[in-house]
Amino acid sequence: MERLHSIVSCFQIEGTPSEIKPLGSGLINDTYIVRTAETAAPDYVLQRINHKIFTDPDLLQHNIEVVTDHIRSKYEASGADDIDRRVLRFIPTPEGKTYTVSDGEYWRMMVFIPRAVTREEVTSELSYDAGKAFGRFQAMLTDVPEVLEESIPDFHNMEFRLHQLDEAVAADPAGRVAEVKSLLDAIGCRAESMCRAERMHREGKLPKRVCHCDTKINNMMFDESSDRVICIIDLDTVMSSFIFSDFGDFMRTAACTAAEDEPDTGKIHFNMDIFKAFTRGYIESAGEFLLPVEIENLPYAAERFAYMQAVRFLADYINGDTYYKIAYPEHNLVRTKAQMALLYDMEAKEPEMKAYIDELVAARS
Ligand code: GN1
Ligand code: MG
């Protein structure tokens, strides 16, 4: 605790820290709440950045600063109240940085958002709100005055993920390739179609925009009393990407009827109610800036992320489980099969997804 207090003292906070306790259940960063003695001073969140995954904390914090400053200035211009509950505020050090290095570890602090809660379960109502909130987040960032670099290079680059899988197969370090032949075939025959975003981008038809790139339901704070989304959090992966990243990863995680490692694939379905609610909210707030090619490809965005995750899990399985934490030896294989099952159901429901999107678009014009 003494160590944590000394790290806190590197930041220019208001008030006197009275208590520091672990907060939340994040798997990547270590997070603490820092209570202050004075009622007038805010409480804070202290976080150790996992710099094994985020190898360039300077770039990471730069992206976060650009995004939060931009959103804050929009709220200020619109006269919004309670801005520190709507957008994260990072605390500077005396040198003007939003992180500090101590014993080779990277730390940052932000204002704790009071009277807000996170959710783990998704309902249609929450899904509509989430769609609106992520669409609004992207909309506010369409005019960020610089191109954000990728805090994890090639994070959502499908060609790169397939290349990693090819390399794993060629090396076969754990001798697992033979047993996954049919999965590799199912992945291989979809590869070209799944890389269409990268192709369209090269042809100048599809832009990259500032995206969140980790659109899980638990990366939003809900106001305690209204139960509405108040703030988007966990900005570690904000970077330039196709809007498909934000749409697709929410569909993959929230519109699936089972956990991402469900062993019984019979339980895995794509939940159309969650899809519809999110899409309705998303188009309401992002419809103004989205290009037709982005809207038309939303069903592809959903499929792309189930598929990309299958590719990543399978590559990790073949590599002998070096990236994702596993609870048992076949875990990454089970995860791969679960993602493929979700993909197959999405493919079956693609006409229904398209029809619904057409309806929404027609209603707007
Ligand atoms: C990782 O650790 P978590 O769940 O926030 C991964 C995501 C994957 C996800 C799959 C930095 O996120 O891209 O979609 O696992 N994050 C990173 O469960 O690789
Ligand atoms: Mg998270």
Side-chain angles (χ1 to χ4, degrees), residues 214 218-219 234:
D214 190 16
N218 59 11
N219 281 338
D234 196 347

Side-chain angles (χ1 to χ4, degrees), residues 26-28 53-54 152 155-156 161 213-214 216 218-219 234 236-237 239 249 252-253 260 305 308-309 312-313 323-325 335 339:
L27 294 180
I28 297 214
I53 291 184
F54 300 104
I152 302 177
F155 188 43
H156 285 169
R161 294 302 182 186
C213 293
D214 190 16
K216 316 239 160 71
N218 59 11
N219 281 338
D234 196 347
D236 287 331
T237 51
M239 61 177 112
D249 221 20
R252 181 185 81 77
T253 53
E260 79 179 3
F305 276 82
M308 188 185 296
Q309 200 58 60
R312 292 176 65 188
F313 284 146
Y323 189 87
Y324 295 106
K325 285 188 191 134
R335 288 167 171 151
Q339 294 302 302

Side-chain angles (χ1 to χ4, degrees), residues 102-341:
S102 157
D103 292 338
E105 297 186 322
Y106 291 75
W107 295 83
R108 64 186 169 201
M109 275 188 90
M110 63 202 107
V111 172
F112 175 78
I113 301 177
R115 305 181 309 286
V117 290
T118 53
R119 299 249 174 267
E120 296 293 336
E121 297 293 313
V122 188
T123 60
S124 297
E125 215 188 349
L126 289 186
S127 181
Y128 167 76
D129 240 32
K132 262 200 111 113
F134 281 120
R136 188 164 58 229
F137 182 82
Q138 289 180 342
M140 291 180 100
L141 296 169
T142 48
D143 56 348
V144 163
E146 67 177 272
V147 177
L148 298 190
E149 285 179 52
E150 296 177 336
S151 48
I152 302 177
D154 292 315
F155 188 43
H156 285 169
N157 178 337
M158 187 69 92
E159 290 170 347
F160 172 74
R161 294 302 182 186
L162 284 163
H163 176 69
Q164 285 185 316
L165 178 60
D166 287 343
E167 285 187 333
V169 169
D172 196 13
R176 289 173 167 177
V177 167
E179 71 173 288
V180 299
K181 181 82 181 57
S182 62
L183 280 168
L184 286 167
D185 288 344
I187 286 173
C189 70
R190 288 167 172 81
E192 197 186 325
S193 148
M194 286 296 166
C195 290
R196 85 179 87 132
E198 283 73 17
R199 276 197 307 278
M200 288 191 291
H201 181 63
R202 274 195 295 275
E203 292 162 4
K205 296 177 186 152
L206 179 70
K208 288 193 177 180
R209 305 180 186 275
V210 181
C211 294
H212 184 275
C213 293
D214 190 16
T215 46
K216 316 239 160 71
I217 192 76
N218 59 11
N219 281 338
M220 290 181 282
M221 303 289 303
F222 291 80
D223 181 79
E224 208 172 61
S225 44
S226 71
D227 213 21
R228 293 259 111 108
V229 177
I230 181 148
C231 183
I232 305 253
I233 59 169
D234 196 347
L235 304 178
D236 287 331
T237 51
V238 287
M239 61 177 112
S240 299
S241 193
F242 307 123
I243 56 99
F244 304 155
S245 289
D246 290 355
F247 187 88
D249 221 20
F250 193 88
M251 289 302 119
R252 181 185 81 77
T253 53
C256 183
T257 53
E260 79 179 3
D261 60 354
E262 171 59 53
D264 179 357
T265 53
K267 291 185 181 156
I268 300 175
H269 302 284
F270 183 56
N271 182 330
M272 283 301 289
D273 290 336
I274 300 292
F275 162 82
K276 287 183 179 174
F278 186 88
T279 307
R280 190 160 56 83
Y282 180 65
I283 292 197
E284 269 177 38
S285 56
E288 284 303 312
F289 73 83
L290 290 175
L291 299 174
V293 66
E294 293 175 307
I295 297 179
E296 277 157 26
N297 278 290
L298 292 177
Y300 158 66
E303 292 162 15
R304 174 179 165 92
F305 276 82
Y307 178 83
M308 188 185 296
Q309 200 58 60
V311 170
R312 292 176 65 188
F313 284 146
L314 186 58
D316 200 37
Y317 182 67
I318 294 173
N319 281 330
D321 313 307
T322 58
Y323 189 87
Y324 295 106
K325 285 188 191 134
I326 53 163
Y328 54 93
E330 310 265 281
H331 207 163
N332 274 317
L333 182 60
V334 165
R335 288 167 171 151
T336 307
K337 290 180 181 166
Q339 294 302 302
M340 291 304 281

